[in-house]
């Protein structure tokens, strides 16, 4: 069963809600929210569309909520469930209650069965939701989608053998040979920093190199400790480790340990293998004297630090100091992975100096153009997409005060971004530009706030363009559902705030719309990087990046995109000015 409702599912649900069960206008608007309804009608009128009626609003709700249309315990969703249950014939109501009775009461009158059914806990994909949707005639998808077993995130997993993956590209193979040469020569004293442009496959490269090098140590109970910044990056690493271990046809299984998102590992589970950990959890557990992580560090065969530019932070000093305390000064091989386009070479130099490391970077043909711009090589060969940049000026003025900038985060504050998110004129211009994108083009949109992403998604759906929004608040199962639907092309626009900057892979992304201004070069590079996979890596030849630019008065530092003028394809920059 698809995780995202098909058009036939949407139409069937709409027919039942409006035509058959005649759900009142007040319930539909209650689910949608009065303020959201006002804003939606305002922006649709600005776009020259007529006001949205109850039927159209219900359709938007079905698309927005998807499999979770009836989920939750809010008074609005319970009002919807109650209305629907009340429409059932008495015999069907009694049959439904007989399968889902109130365990604390003996009810025989159908009139008293409605309330306990309405208040019954809704567990997505469970028996009660399935009975509810079946009794009312809705497609089973609206019972909710639970996390499939194939998406298990247990703390410990064993990877079995055999899975075919594409071979390394020639430049990746040469980098792998360099890495193995350093590892074989330096052994425990190995310190290296591997740098590749975003989209160049540094995770795959490092995983393949290290699991080959560590095949023997794994069987001796040693650990490969992979450290990342986010859950998404951790899961991405696990997926890659799983694929590569199976592809290599090793005779034994490999145990992988999830040491992030609060997951715990018991000492009795430790037999060696790959430990994928977040630096935040490592730091916290080390501070508390966690015996499991101390045992892993004592028997560490290699440490790989993803997004290694973060390794300049104090938490990594604490980790390495503890490692020296447990293992002695020679430690074990340490490899940092980083992507540098858009950042100064000084940061890479600092990183290399931090670890007293070898710098391992691609060997490119000796031409003046490639020396001046190494990215040109990767784009010409089809490894990276060619980024076409557009600046879309709104003509909107905002005064940036001292309190609107967070010095520690090197970015604008959430409060300032919320001001932008609530600007209805600005939002209309965002929607106008999004609707200009041809149908069927996969587009990532980076909004100013969670509510901003949700609202823009709603307007796009109301305009007949399939969209969904996700944030850190989105349940993981729902997030995976929308990401999968986006990759399959079932969703045109995927809007987000605070996620989809690292650890997200959608190679066919053709447009990236950046509606939130940022002064953080790192954040901007991570956003742009989501669309840089080239055709030889399953991506696109071009990716269009659209920066929604406002006139930010008194902003003391440049916006990040202004520092990328050498990054874009020559002659690609265009500016659309709206007055």
């Amino acid at each position: 069963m698809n995780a995202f409702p098909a058009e036939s599912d949407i139409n069937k649900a709409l027919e039942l809600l409006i035509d058959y069960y005649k759900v009142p206008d007040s319930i539909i608007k209650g689910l949608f929210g009065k303020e959201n309804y006002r804003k939606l009608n305002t922006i649709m009128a600005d776009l020259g569309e007529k006001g949205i009626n109850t039927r159209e609003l219900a359709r938007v709700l079905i698309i927005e909520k998807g499999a979770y249309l009836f989920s939750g315990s809010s008074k609005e969703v319970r009002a919807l469930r109650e209305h629907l249950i009340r429409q059932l014939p008495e015999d069907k109501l009694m049959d439904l209650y007989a399968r889902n009775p109130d365990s604390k009461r003996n009810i025989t009158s159908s009139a008293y069965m409605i309330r306990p059914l309405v208040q019954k806990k809704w567990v997505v994909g469970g028996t009660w939701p399935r009975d509810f949707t079946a009794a009312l005639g809705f497609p089973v998808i609206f019972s909710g989608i639970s996390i499939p077993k194939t998406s298990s995130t247990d703390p410990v997993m064993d990877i079995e053998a055999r899975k075919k993956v594409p071979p390394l590209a020639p430049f990746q193979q040469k980098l792998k040979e360099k890495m193995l040469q350093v590892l074989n020569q330096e052994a425990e004293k190995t310190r290296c920093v591997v740098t590749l442009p975003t989209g160049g496959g540094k995770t795959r490269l490092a995983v393949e190199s290290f699991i080959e090098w560590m095949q023997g140590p794994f069987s001796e109970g040693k650990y490969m400790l992979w450290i990342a910044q986010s859950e998404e990056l951790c899961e991405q690493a696990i997926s890659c480790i799983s694929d590569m271990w199976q592809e290599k046809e090793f005779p034994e299984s490999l145990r992988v340990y999830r040491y992030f998102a609060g997951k715990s590992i018991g000492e009795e589970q430790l037999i060696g293998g790959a430990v994928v950990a977040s630096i935040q959890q490592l730091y916290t557990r080390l501070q508390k004297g966690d015996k499991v992580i101390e045992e892993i560090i004592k028997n560490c065969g290699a440490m790989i630090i993803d997004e290694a530019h973060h390794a300049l932070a104090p938490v990594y000093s604490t980790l390495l100091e503890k490692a020296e305390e447990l293992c002695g000064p020679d430690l074990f091989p340490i490899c940092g992975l980083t992507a540098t386009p858009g950042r100064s070479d000084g940061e890479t130099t600092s990183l290399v100096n931090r670890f007293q490391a070898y710098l391992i970077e691609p060997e490119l043909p000796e031409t003046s153009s490639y020396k001046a711009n190494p990215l040109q090589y990767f784009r010409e060969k089809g490894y990276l997409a060619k980024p076409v940049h557009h600046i879309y000026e709104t003509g909107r003025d905002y005064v940036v005060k001292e309190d609107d900038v967070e010095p520690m985060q090197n970015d604008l504050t959430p409060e300032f971004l919320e001001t932008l998110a609530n600007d209805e004129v600005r939002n209309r211009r965002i929607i106008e530009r999004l609707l200009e994108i041809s149908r069927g083009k996969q587009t990532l949109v980076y909004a100013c706030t969670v509510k901003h992403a949700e609202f823009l998604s709603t307007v796009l759906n109301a305009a007949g363009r399939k969209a969904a929004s996700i944030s850190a608040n989105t349940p993981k199962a729902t997030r995976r559902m929308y990401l999968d639907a986006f990759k399959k092309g079932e969703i045109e626009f995927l809007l987000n705030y605070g996620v989809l900057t690292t650890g997200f892979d959608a190679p066919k992304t053709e447009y990236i719309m950046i509606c939130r201004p940022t002064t953080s070069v790192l954040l901007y590079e991570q956003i742009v990087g989501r669309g840089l996979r080239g055709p030889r890596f399953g991506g696109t030849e071009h990716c269009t990046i659209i920066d929604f630019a406002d006139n930010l008065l008194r902003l003391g530092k440049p916006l990040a995109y202004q520092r990328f003028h050498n990054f874009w394809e020559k002659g690609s920059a265009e500016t659309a000015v709206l007055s």
Side-chain angles (χ1 to χ4, degrees):
M1 180 175 64
N2 290 333
F4 194 78
E7 191 65 23
S8 58
D9 297 325
I10 294 168
N11 291 335
K12 179 65 173 176
L14 183 61
E15 177 189 347
L16 289 171
L17 288 176
I18 302 302
D19 300 329
Y20 190 77
Y21 294 117
K22 302 189 185 304
V23 176
D25 178 88
S26 59
I27 291 180
I28 299 295
K29 289 181 179 176
L31 283 165
F32 196 76
K34 290 182 179 178
E35 179 60 16
N36 285 339
Y37 181 65
R38 182 198 68 78
K39 289 169 66 177
L40 176 59
N41 269 323
T42 298
I43 200 167
M44 293 300 283
D46 288 343
L47 293 170
E49 302 287 338
K50 59 182 176 60
I52 189 166
N53 60 34
T54 302
R55 187 182 194 85
E56 293 165 338
L57 189 62
R59 179 179 173 82
V60 171
L61 271 174
I62 295 166
I63 295 171
E64 289 279 302
K65 295 184 178 294
Y68 304 96
L69 177 63
F70 302 116
S71 300
S73 57
S74 68
K75 65 178 183 180
E76 290 83 9
V77 77
R78 282 185 171 175
L80 174 61
R81 294 206 297 254
E82 180 174 352
H83 174 84
L84 294 173
I85 290 172
R86 286 188 181 278
Q87 310 311 306
L88 287 173
E90 185 176 19
D91 59 335
K92 283 194 174 184
L93 172 59
M94 295 185 76
D95 285 346
L96 182 61
Y97 183 80
R99 294 191 301 272
N100 302 275
D102 186 337
S103 59
K104 297 179 181 179
R105 300 169 62 192
N106 182 24
I107 300 175
T108 58
S109 172
S110 60
Y112 291 96
M113 294 175 180
I114 296 173
R115 185 159 296 279
L117 286 175
V118 170
Q119 294 179 341
K120 195 169 187 65
K121 186 176 181 180
W122 188 279
V123 179
V124 293
T127 301
W128 160 234
R130 284 177 174 268
D131 275 351
F132 175 89
T133 51
L136 290 154
F138 286 91
V140 67
I141 191 169
F142 295 106
S143 65
I145 303 297
S146 57
I147 302 174
K149 290 182 179 179
T150 53
S151 298
S152 169
T153 57
D154 292 339
V156 175
M157 62 183 285
D158 294 325
I159 298 172
E160 301 302 333
R162 201 55 192 143
K163 182 173 184 179
K164 191 67 178 174
V165 298
L168 292 173
F171 78 89
Q172 292 174 320
Q173 183 62 38
K174 289 182 180 179
L175 281 172
K176 174 186 170 182
E177 291 168 2
K178 280 187 183 181
M179 290 180 67
L180 290 174
Q181 183 180 11
V182 171
L183 284 166
N184 290 327
Q185 286 180 353
E186 299 292 326
E188 284 75 18
K189 295 182 180 180
T190 297
R191 301 291 181 271
C192 62
V193 172
V194 178
T195 176
L196 261 179
T198 299
K202 62 183 185 300
T203 300
R204 157 76 190 278
L205 173 68
V207 166
E208 181 164 342
S209 300
F210 274 94
I211 65 171
E212 283 188 21
W213 187 74
M214 282 202 63
Q215 185 192 357
F218 279 143
S219 63
E220 298 168 3
K222 294 290 186 180
Y223 299 92
M224 179 179 78
L225 179 55
W226 186 288
I227 304 173
Q229 288 289 314
S230 67
E231 289 183 34
E232 284 83 4
L233 279 174
C234 287
E235 290 293 350
Q236 183 187 61
I238 289 172
S239 177
C240 189
I241 291 168
S242 175
D243 287 348
M244 293 312 306
W245 188 264
Q246 291 176 304
E247 196 273 341
K248 292 298 176 183
E249 294 189 87
F250 293 131
E252 299 177 345
S253 63
L254 175 69
R255 179 157 290 187
V256 176
Y257 307 81
R258 284 182 170 86
Y259 202 76
F260 55 91
K263 297 184 188 301
S264 296
I265 302 167
E267 289 186 69
E268 73 282 357
Q269 295 173 299
L270 296 177
I271 60 170
V275 179
V276 181
S278 68
I279 184 59
Q280 296 85 354
Q281 184 157 316
L282 279 178
Y283 177 77
T284 301
R285 299 284 176 89
L286 281 173
Q287 296 289 87
K288 294 180 178 178
D290 186 328
K291 297 301 180 185
V292 168
I293 193 58
E294 289 186 3
E295 181 68 17
I296 289 169
I297 289 175
K298 285 178 185 177
N299 293 283
C300 185
M303 177 187 290
I304 299 95
I305 302 173
D306 197 6
E307 301 287 322
H309 41 272
H310 293 289
L312 301 171
V315 288
Y316 281 93
S317 296
T318 300
L319 169 63
L320 295 173
E321 287 167 6
K322 185 64 176 180
E324 287 188 8
E325 177 188 319
L326 294 170
C327 305
D330 284 344
L331 290 180
F332 33 71
I334 299 175
C335 176
L337 308 177
T338 187
T340 54
R343 293 199 297 276
S344 68
D345 290 339
E347 185 169 300
T348 303
T349 302
S350 298
L351 194 59
V352 170
N353 292 339
R354 169 74 174 84
F355 293 108
Q356 298 180 333
Y358 288 96
L359 177 62
I360 299 177
E361 53 190 347
E363 290 183 3
L364 304 182
E366 293 288 334
T367 68
S368 57
S369 60
Y370 292 159
K371 283 184 178 180
N373 182 15
L375 289 172
Q376 183 181 339
Y377 170 81
F378 295 99
R379 292 170 184 167
E380 287 181 359
K381 299 300 181 183
Y383 298 119
L384 297 181
K386 297 172 182 176
V388 178
H389 188 232
H390 295 256
I391 302 169
Y392 198 75
E393 294 187 359
T394 68
R396 306 292 285 168
D397 294 341
Y398 303 93
V399 176
V400 181
K401 302 175 184 175
E402 185 176 348
D403 292 343
D404 292 328
V405 179
E406 291 182 333
M408 296 296 292
Q409 299 296 325
N410 189 34
D411 208 355
L412 296 159
T413 63
E415 291 78 13
F416 181 79
L417 293 177
E418 186 170 3
T419 299
L420 301 186
N422 292 329
D423 186 326
E424 294 186 5
V425 174
R426 187 177 191 269
N427 286 337
R428 174 172 59 80
R429 292 174 177 172
I430 290 173
I431 293 295
E432 285 174 338
R433 183 63 187 89
L434 287 171
L435 292 177
E436 290 175 1
I437 295 174
S438 300
R439 288 183 179 273
K441 301 292 186 181
Q442 289 181 310
T443 303
L444 289 176
V445 182
Y446 291 81
C448 295
T449 66
V450 172
K451 289 185 177 180
H452 191 221
E454 293 171 348
F455 177 69
L456 294 177
S457 172
T458 297
V459 178
L460 287 167
N461 281 314
R465 305 291 293 272
K466 197 71 72 70
S469 67
I470 62 173
S471 70
N473 301 329
T474 308
K476 291 177 185 176
T478 310
R479 193 187 308 183
R480 281 195 289 273
M481 177 182 76
Y482 286 154
L483 293 179
D484 185 56
F486 180 72
K487 291 176 185 179
K488 291 178 180 177
E490 296 170 2
I491 296 173
E492 288 184 84
F493 298 96
L494 189 58
L495 300 97
N496 82 104
Y497 172 77
V499 292
L500 302 191
T501 53
T502 57
F504 169 65
D505 184 25
K508 295 299 184 181
T509 299
E510 293 188 66
Y511 282 83
I512 294 176
M513 180 86 155
I514 306 173
C515 303
R516 58 153 300 170
T518 179
T519 57
S520 169
V521 172
L522 175 57
L523 174 61
Y524 187 83
E525 176 190 296
Q526 289 172 333
I527 289 172
V528 171
R530 298 314 96 204
L532 294 185
R533 188 73 65 86
R536 290 185 67 173
F537 283 161
T540 58
E541 185 175 352
H542 293 89
C543 180
T544 301
I545 293 94
I546 303 171
D547 266 292
F548 220 76
D550 310 289
N551 188 16
L552 302 185
L553 306 173
R554 301 181 189 172
L555 179 61
K557 57 181 72 177
L559 290 170
Y561 76 82
Q562 295 171 332
R563 307 183 195 183
F564 279 69
H565 59 278
N566 291 324
F567 183 74
W568 316 118
E569 281 290 284
K570 297 297 182 184
S572 74
E574 296 180 12
T575 303
V577 182
L578 282 172
S579 58

